[in-house]
Amino acid sequence: YTRAASVLGGDYQARADSLKQAMTTKLLNITSGHYNQGMTATGPDVADPLDVNSWGAIQLYATGQKTSAQTSMDALAPFKFTRSGVTGYAPFYDSPGYPGATPTVWFEGSYGVLMALARTGKVDQYRSLLNTLKVGQESDGSFRYATDVDPIYEISDHRSVAGTAWFVLAT
């Protein structure tokens, strides 16, 4: 909405401010310092998926909340795995929110982390992660959805438009 406001004017900046306020008051977990997955009828959903942290860091950084953005980036550590010679990030890890999750490298989400590194100015970490993820690129230029199958959470190791598209977006 902020970008739309700069081009279109209108009430887009008010919408951006309202959304930021709602996310900060309803979704930002003060205890953990990063966003909750969402809300349920009984309260916050505190399950910890990768994209809440990586995309949360981008949003927090963009809205001037740099300390919280760094906390979200720091929360990425348990998602990092090396599988089949590729180092990257899983969509979730074995935790109360995702019991029994299989360690894997999820290319779509790993490229989301790459974007978060770029947006938060971590250029050296960006380059390092990009180089490790390129190891997983197929001979036709595509990427798989993930390195390992996770039957519990329906993660496949098939070639993926999403993983490949996120590579293009992040690079």
Side-chain angles (χ1 to χ4, degrees):
Y1 287 140
T2 298
R3 289 185 178 161
S6 69
V7 176
L8 303 172
D11 69 344
Y12 286 104
Q13 188 58 53
R15 290 181 190 189
D17 295 341
S18 177
L19 182 58
K20 174 188 171 186
Q21 179 66 26
M23 289 178 72
T24 301
T25 59
K26 301 215 181 265
L27 295 175
L28 191 59
N29 186 320
I30 302 304
T31 304
S32 68
H34 57 88
Y35 283 116
N36 291 320
Q37 177 170 268
M39 295 294 289
T40 69
T42 59
D45 178 352
V46 296
D48 193 23
L50 176 69
D51 46 10
V52 165
N53 296 292
S54 57
W55 287 106
I58 291 170
Q59 189 272 340
L60 289 162
Y61 194 85
T63 59
Q65 300 173 79
K66 294 184 177 162
T67 300
S68 292
Q70 184 57 51
T71 300
S72 279
M73 294 299 288
D74 293 343
L76 297 172
F79 297 93
K80 193 170 187 178
F81 293 99
T82 299
R83 308 292 296 165
S84 303
V86 180
T87 299
Y89 293 82
F92 9 75
Y93 58 95
D94 187 9
S95 62
Y98 294 98
T102 299
T104 188
V105 173
W106 178 40
F107 288 100
E108 176 183 345
S110 294
Y111 285 116
V113 171
L114 199 69
M115 289 185 74
L117 290 168
R119 295 287 173 97
T120 58
K122 299 179 182 338
V123 177
D124 290 340
Q125 291 175 27
Y126 172 95
R127 287 185 182 130
S128 177
L129 179 58
L130 177 60
N131 289 333
T132 63
L133 288 171
K134 282 185 175 179
V135 172
Q137 192 167 30
E138 300 293 324
S139 61
D140 65 0
S142 70
F143 286 88
R144 296 189 176 273
Y145 191 71
T147 56
D148 299 86
V149 173
D150 184 337
I152 297 173
Y153 298 104
E154 300 179 0
I155 302 296
S156 81
D157 63 353
H158 298 294
R159 291 182 186 197
S160 166
V161 170
T164 306
W166 279 105
F167 163 73
V168 172
L169 289 170
T171 58

